[in-house]
Amino acid sequence: MPDEPQRRRSIYLLPNAFTTANLFAGFYAVVQSMNQHFEVAAIAIFLAMVFDSMDGRVARLTNTQSAFGEQYDSLADMISFGMAPALVMYEWSLQDLGRWGWLAAFVYVVGAALRLARFNANIGKVDKQYFQGLPSPAAAALIAGFVWLSVDNKLSLSDGIIAWVAFGTTIYAGVAMVSNAPFFSGKSFALGRSVPFWVMLVVVAAFVFVSSDPPVVLFMLFVVYSLSGWVLWVWRVRRARRLGQRMRGADSDDDAGEGQP
């Protein structure tokens, strides 16, 4: 018998139940796309996003974080936000483009895998207020939102044009995930703290706004979010350049002042 008792490795049920629901929703989306039920598949991906957003917060609220939960969540995300959106998009439209279609789907899958691997490797090393690159759930929502919007006949485009728009959207989502653009994470919003009454009114208004036309509203919201990181990145670059110019100007003024008698 060892001197120190071995610590029991427990698996917490509540947060991992949400992770399992996330995984099931991603798997269900793949099955429905194979059955040509693309609208249901897109909705399933959005449900996977809801479950994914809840497992981590529930774990923190109940103090049930674990290394097992982190790894399980990452594997579930690879299915729900990596494989599922790529297969749904391929089954729906990209297969009409031949090899270009499956290459676009593969670029998305690789981008999701690299995004998740980099996220796991950089836990605790990056600013928690911003994601490095487009998060995989948002990329999946961009794909699913486009499919849902098109199947719901909100886009009056020919099949050929739709296929190439789907190609561009898939490539963009895959590349954005491995970029260095900062995207707001929302982790600073804590569910356990009290908020003013107007915050509840905003939440209710948001639900009403989304329910008015879910395909259009959700797709537009995630289009804006998928572009917000690049806007913030350009703003940071321009601010850094202006700061560098001011510092160089201040150094030149100091040098000129030291040269005077």
Side-chain angles (χ1 to χ4, degrees):
M1 295 293 293
D3 295 335
E4 296 181 0
Q6 293 183 355
R7 182 180 179 181
R8 182 181 177 184
R9 297 182 179 179
S10 301
I11 297 176
Y12 297 104
L13 177 62
L14 187 58
N16 289 305
F18 284 103
T19 304
T20 303
N22 166 21
L23 180 60
F24 175 79
F27 174 77
Y28 187 74
V30 173
V31 173
Q32 291 304 310
S33 68
M34 294 171 63
N35 294 328
Q36 306 297 306
H37 299 156
F38 299 110
E39 185 173 4
V40 177
I43 295 173
I45 292 176
F46 279 105
L47 286 177
M49 283 187 56
V50 174
F51 293 130
D52 179 66
S53 65
M54 295 177 67
D55 58 3
R57 294 184 183 275
V58 168
R60 288 189 291 271
L61 285 174
T62 57
N63 196 25
T64 54
Q65 305 99 317
S66 65
F68 174 86
E70 292 178 357
Q71 298 303 319
Y72 186 34
D73 180 68
S74 181
L75 292 173
D77 288 352
M78 185 58 209
I79 299 298
S80 298
F81 309 130
M83 290 295 298
L87 291 174
V88 171
M89 184 68 95
Y90 179 79
E91 287 287 335
W92 172 65
S93 181
L94 290 179
Q95 62 179 339
D96 296 334
L97 300 179
R99 62 180 180 180
W100 293 107
W102 64 258
L103 282 173
F106 181 69
V107 167
Y108 178 89
V109 172
V110 172
L114 293 174
R115 171 70 178 80
L116 291 169
R118 183 175 65 178
F119 177 81
N120 292 338
N122 291 336
I123 291 179
K125 300 179 181 178
V126 295
D127 186 3
K128 292 184 178 181
Q129 189 174 359
Y130 295 96
F131 290 118
Q132 185 182 10
L134 183 67
S136 56
L142 189 64
I143 299 296
F146 180 74
V147 173
W148 192 4
L149 184 68
S150 301
V151 172
D152 205 42
N153 296 322
K154 294 296 194 302
L155 290 179
S156 56
L157 299 174
S158 63
D159 293 340
I161 296 178
I162 283 288
W164 285 109
V165 174
F167 174 87
T169 303
T170 306
I171 292 292
Y172 172 78
V175 173
M177 282 189 286
V178 296
S179 68
N180 290 323
F183 291 86
F184 182 68
S185 66
K187 292 183 178 181
S188 57
F189 179 75
L191 294 177
R193 68 182 183 185
S194 61
V195 295
F197 180 73
W198 63 266
V199 175
M200 182 59 66
L201 296 179
V202 171
V203 172
V204 173
F207 277 110
V208 173
F209 181 58
V210 172
S211 63
S212 63
D213 197 343
V216 174
V217 174
L218 289 175
F219 180 68
M220 295 307 299
L221 285 176
F222 282 100
V223 166
V224 172
Y225 179 75
S226 67
L227 297 176
S228 64
W230 302 104
V231 174
L232 181 58
W233 179 73
V234 171
W235 177 77
R236 285 183 174 182
V237 170
R238 295 185 62 180
R239 186 181 65 172
R241 288 180 178 177
R242 288 197 297 266
L243 182 60
Q245 291 175 356
R246 292 176 182 176
M247 294 179 64
R248 288 193 295 269
D251 291 340
S252 61
D253 292 340
D254 292 341
D255 295 338
E258 291 177 356
Q260 294 179 357

